[in-house]
Amino acid sequence: MHLISVNVGLPRTADDRPGLPGAFAEGLESGIDKRPVEGPVAVAAPGPKGTAGSGLAGDAVVSLRHHGGDDQAVYAFAREDLDGWERKLGRRLPDGAFGENLTTSGVDVNGARIGERWRIGTDLVLEVSAPRIPCRTFATWLGETGWMRRFTQEAAPGAYLRVIEPGRIRAGDAVAVVHRPAHDVSVSYVFRALTGERALLPGVLAAGDALHPETRAKALAYRERQEESAGRPQGR
């Protein structure tokens, strides 16, 4: 298991890619256009969501309300899944095409458990925190009709990770799973619970404190509503 590429991006608009498929809508600015970089990249916890962006040095996050912060410091996507989408879409998808910071090889990104820890290279330790939920910016960038629906149906969203131990990484670095929790709450499971299979939400709580705080709040709220409904007297 290793990194194929480490990808960072600068804020870009439609003017940066005029006339190309997947270019941004007029006026849209985003850091989703991630591209492989050579040499080592420093990775550290960026700070709270809403005020801090990416965990990778030199990587831009434009919408701090929805992206970035300690629990979404790094985004990983498997090259194997990019290859699958290349076949389905009939177009080339270079490393970083889905806005991922890390393009991996041999890593079961979607089967990774919440709280699972990866050592990358010699120093960096990351912890799996949440799935990526598709947004309109992602759909606009890809330029594929019905993209959000298709991506959701695949249930292979890639993983957000938080930084446990900072370090420097580069393409070719080995990825090793150094901790795998005893529960079975995977990235794919949480994604399904958040995007359509709401009945799964209480199950994500088995991941405990490793859950993204927003995911935990949604699961607790859902469970509370279900308990209230179950205890409500039935009308005649």
Side-chain angles (χ1 to χ4, degrees):
M1 301 188 295
H2 68 279
L3 297 181
I4 293 178
S5 67
V6 179
N7 316 302
V8 302
L10 298 175
R12 297 187 184 277
T13 67
D15 292 336
D16 294 310
R17 295 184 61 179
L20 292 181
F24 295 129
E26 189 67 30
L28 177 64
E29 184 181 42
S30 174
I32 195 172
D33 186 10
K34 309 297 186 191
R35 306 186 185 190
V37 293
E38 296 182 3
V41 176
V43 184
K49 186 176 181 179
T51 61
S54 174
L56 279 74
D59 184 44
V61 172
V62 174
S63 178
L64 296 179
R65 177 182 176 186
H66 299 291
H67 304 289
D70 288 338
D71 295 300
Q72 297 173 196
V74 181
Y75 175 46
F77 201 83
R79 182 64 244 183
E80 293 86 349
D81 291 324
L82 282 175
D83 291 343
W85 280 114
E86 281 192 338
R87 293 189 290 271
K88 292 180 179 74
L89 300 177
R91 57 185 276 196
R92 179 175 175 269
L93 295 170
D95 299 334
F98 280 12
E100 76 272 15
N101 298 117
L102 309 179
T103 308
T104 65
S105 175
V107 181
D108 185 6
V109 177
N110 300 298
R113 298 175 184 178
I114 302 300
E116 182 172 305
R117 293 188 177 185
W118 303 349
R119 181 176 295 279
I120 303 179
T122 57
D123 302 317
L124 182 67
V125 177
L126 302 178
E127 182 178 85
V128 177
S129 61
R132 186 255 194 89
I133 305 299
C135 62
R136 292 193 179 277
T137 299
F138 186 26
T140 301
W141 178 240
L142 265 292
E144 294 287 341
T145 302
W147 177 247
M148 291 175 67
R149 174 182 54 80
R150 295 183 68 180
F151 187 81
T152 299
Q153 289 176 340
E154 197 73 15
Y160 281 121
L161 305 103
R162 53 177 70 95
V163 180
I164 302 301
E165 297 178 15
R168 299 170 71 85
I169 56 174
R170 64 194 306 159
D173 276 349
V175 179
V177 177
V178 295
H179 171 68
R180 188 164 171 82
H183 63 73
D184 293 323
V185 183
S186 67
V187 169
S188 181
Y189 181 96
V190 176
F191 181 80
R192 290 163 53 209
L194 292 173
T195 58
E197 298 181 53
R198 295 291 180 176
L200 298 179
L201 271 173
V204 309
L205 294 170
D209 293 340
L211 274 177
H212 191 297
E214 294 173 8
T215 303
R216 181 175 178 80
K218 290 178 181 178
L220 288 171
Y222 179 88
R223 187 175 69 179
E224 182 177 354
R225 290 194 300 270
Q226 294 302 106
E227 290 173 349
E228 290 177 353
S229 177
R232 185 180 303 134
Q234 297 295 315
R236 295 183 179 179

